[in-house]
Amino acid sequence: MVLPMSRTTRLVPDLPLLRRGRRQVAAADDDSGPAVPAHFLCPISLELMKDPVTAPTGITYDRESVEGWLARGRATCPVTGAPVRLGDLVPNHATRRVIQDWCVANQAERVPTPKVPVAEADAADVLAAVSAAARRGDAAKCGEVAAKARALGKESDRNRRCLLAAGAAHKLSSAFRDLAGEPVEGAGAAVSGALGKILAALTVFFPLDDESRRCIASPASLKTLVSVLSHGDLAARASAAVVLRELASSADRPTVETISRTPGACEALLTLVRSPVSPQATKAALVTAYYLATASDRAAARLASLGAVPVFAELLVDADKGTSEKALAVLDGVLCADAGLEAARAHALVVPVLVKKMFRVSDMATEFAVSALWRLCRGAPDAAAACRADALRVGAFQKLLLLLQVGCGGLTKDRASELLKLLNGSRASVECIETADFKGLKRPF
């Protein structure tokens, strides 16, 4: 359970949903579909093989399944138990062609012809070319080879593991550092394009190791990264946001504070939220802003002075679950600064949106919404009293009662209980309208 505003709290970026792969034939429970021959099924996944490979034991498996088996440290044949190495697997083209013919004959989705996996030597050559081009200052060539490394890594998990083993993350991070220097807006098109392609390639090879993070976290690299985030093309800005999120979420506190002190970092993040280029980039910017605000009071005050509170409040009105959780988290962080509290108390939308999100999103969102409302309703008598009155009018008292009845724990329970006491003292003078709907609420901008 995430505790709002703990300095050690990690707001984990969205994890990809685990989805069942689409079957190439009719579902097993569909009696009308063709029966798949047993020798077309992988012994590990029991699904139709897309890329059959044969081990020295004579057993044929689907490449993805058996390579996953070996990657987990099991250096044996799953069926016979005999020793097997990754390099021992041989593509079984005959079986693949028979499966493809069967799919066509039975009007099932045809298994595509797989691409040849990248060899260790080829992976090393590609990454060496990236490093060499960056050291020469040949930005165009560096960007071209980085794009090739990204394409290879995205083709298959095996390719990605092979490139990672060859040092892809470090080579790409070093190339970015070597090309970093003048701001993107003053650099040529070749340099700007190469930086964006390197960042896009880096996103394929997360999580970054310590050495790679140090390359990206150097002052010159951070300055260039923020410049790409502000002035790059749309794809480059999205990649820069994801890389900065990875850096902020996995680095120590001094590194996060260094990011927050990089000129233009807070401005670039807020601009990306205010004028989004993609949902992924918006969420990445929110996560990074959260880490900056929770690690540094200076960053929280800076975000508040740049107008973060109205931006986050507006974003929360129609945001999805993931965006709401992250926006509530960073809003709670910004409220740690006096400037953030002052801006939130002066904005008509903040209290209603916090009350609305208290029950309609997730447990994490509830924690951050309660924490933010607690900050607003305590402290300075006049300003806090106005927030308490607003909270009562939109039904906060009833929702907090329900929250305690349903159950919550730790810091959220303590703050919800304290909020109830604060609101109870103001109930006599406030008419509760029992709503947190925004249909009739005029937005301030």
Side-chain angles (χ1 to χ4, degrees):
M1 188 65 69
V2 177
L3 298 180
M5 296 313 302
S6 168
R7 294 299 186 189
T8 59
T9 296
R10 295 294 191 195
L11 181 65
V12 181
D14 288 344
L15 297 176
L17 295 177
L18 182 62
R19 302 178 185 274
R20 292 186 62 185
R22 182 180 177 184
R23 296 290 299 271
Q24 272 65 38
V25 295
D29 56 355
D30 186 357
D31 296 336
S32 63
V36 183
H39 57 285
F40 288 176
L41 301 178
C42 173
I44 298 174
S45 66
L46 300 181
E47 294 195 353
L48 190 67
M49 291 186 285
K50 303 175 185 177
D51 185 5
V53 292
T54 302
T57 57
I59 308 298
T60 299
Y61 302 94
D62 188 63
R63 181 186 294 276
E64 182 179 0
S65 298
V66 71
E67 287 184 351
W69 170 275
L70 296 174
R72 290 189 288 271
R74 303 182 177 112
T76 58
C77 174
V79 173
T80 66
V84 173
R85 299 176 303 164
L86 183 62
D88 295 334
L89 302 176
V90 178
N92 191 329
H93 298 299
T95 298
R96 174 179 53 77
R97 285 193 288 268
V98 172
I99 291 174
Q100 289 175 328
D101 292 342
W102 180 88
C103 290
V104 172
N106 289 273
Q107 298 182 339
E109 183 178 346
R110 184 178 183 273
V111 175
T113 301
K115 295 183 179 181
V116 178
V118 64
E120 293 180 5
D122 294 334
D125 289 344
V126 169
L127 297 174
V130 171
S131 299
R135 286 194 297 268
R136 294 195 308 267
D138 188 348
K141 181 63 175 179
C142 186
E144 177 187 338
V145 185
K148 181 179 179 180
R150 178 178 183 270
L152 288 173
K154 289 179 68 68
E155 274 184 9
S156 69
D157 192 53
R158 181 194 184 283
N159 283 2
R160 180 180 175 276
R161 290 196 303 268
C162 185
L163 287 162
L164 271 174
H170 177 58
K171 295 291 179 64
L172 290 167
S173 300
S174 298
F176 186 89
R177 181 192 57 194
D178 293 341
L179 292 179
E182 59 181 306
V184 169
E185 62 269 29
V191 174
S192 177
L195 291 170
K197 290 175 182 177
I198 292 172
L199 292 174
L202 262 179
T203 63
V204 178
F205 302 106
F206 288 165
L208 299 180
D209 56 81
D210 292 341
E211 195 172 4
S212 301
R213 284 199 296 270
R214 282 194 292 270
C215 290
I216 296 293
S218 68
S221 295
L222 281 176
K223 186 176 180 180
T224 300
L225 183 59
V226 170
S227 184
V228 174
L229 188 63
S230 302
H231 305 288
D233 58 36
L234 296 183
R237 292 175 66 198
S239 297
V242 174
V243 171
L244 196 58
R245 178 200 66 193
E246 167 68 13
L247 188 61
S249 63
S250 57
D252 52 21
R253 183 171 177 178
T255 301
V256 176
E257 291 179 345
T258 300
I259 296 172
S260 70
R261 290 194 298 269
T262 302
C266 292
E267 291 87 341
L269 291 170
L270 198 56
T271 297
L272 201 58
V273 176
R274 184 184 289 114
S275 303
V277 298
S278 72
Q280 182 190 30
T282 299
K283 292 177 181 180
L286 288 170
V287 172
T288 305
Y290 168 76
Y291 285 117
L292 299 189
T294 54
S296 168
D297 293 337
R298 175 185 173 277
R302 179 62 178 158
L303 286 167
S305 67
L306 292 171
V309 170
V311 173
F312 298 148
E314 279 287 307
L315 179 65
L316 279 166
V317 172
D318 300 313
D320 59 24
K321 175 184 174 181
T323 303
S324 293
E325 290 174 342
K326 295 166 180 60
L328 287 167
V330 69
L331 179 59
D332 186 44
V334 170
L335 293 185
C336 289
D338 291 339
L341 280 174
E342 182 179 352
R345 286 167 174 164
H347 197 283
L349 194 58
V350 171
V351 171
V353 82
L354 289 175
V355 175
K356 179 183 178 68
K357 297 294 180 177
M358 195 181 296
F359 256 120
R360 299 190 179 185
V361 185
S362 66
D363 291 342
M364 179 185 289
T366 296
E367 293 177 7
F368 284 120
V370 169
S371 179
L373 192 61
W374 172 80
R375 297 181 193 281
L376 290 172
C377 292
R378 61 195 292 270
D382 293 339
C387 287
R388 291 196 294 270
D390 290 341
L392 283 168
R393 291 190 184 96
V394 293
F397 191 86
Q398 290 81 359
K399 286 197 172 185
L400 288 167
L401 281 175
L402 182 58
L403 176 62
L404 291 176
Q405 290 174 357
V406 171
C408 58
L411 189 60
T412 302
K413 181 177 180 180
D414 294 340
R415 290 182 173 178
S417 300
E418 186 176 345
L419 264 174
L420 277 174
K421 294 176 183 178
L422 291 170
L423 296 178
N424 191 50
S426 304
R427 292 182 70 199
S429 58
V430 177
E431 179 183 357
C432 177
I433 61 176
E434 187 66 33
T435 182
D437 193 356
F438 299 104
K439 293 181 180 179
L441 182 61
K442 183 178 180 181
R443 299 182 182 182
F445 61 91

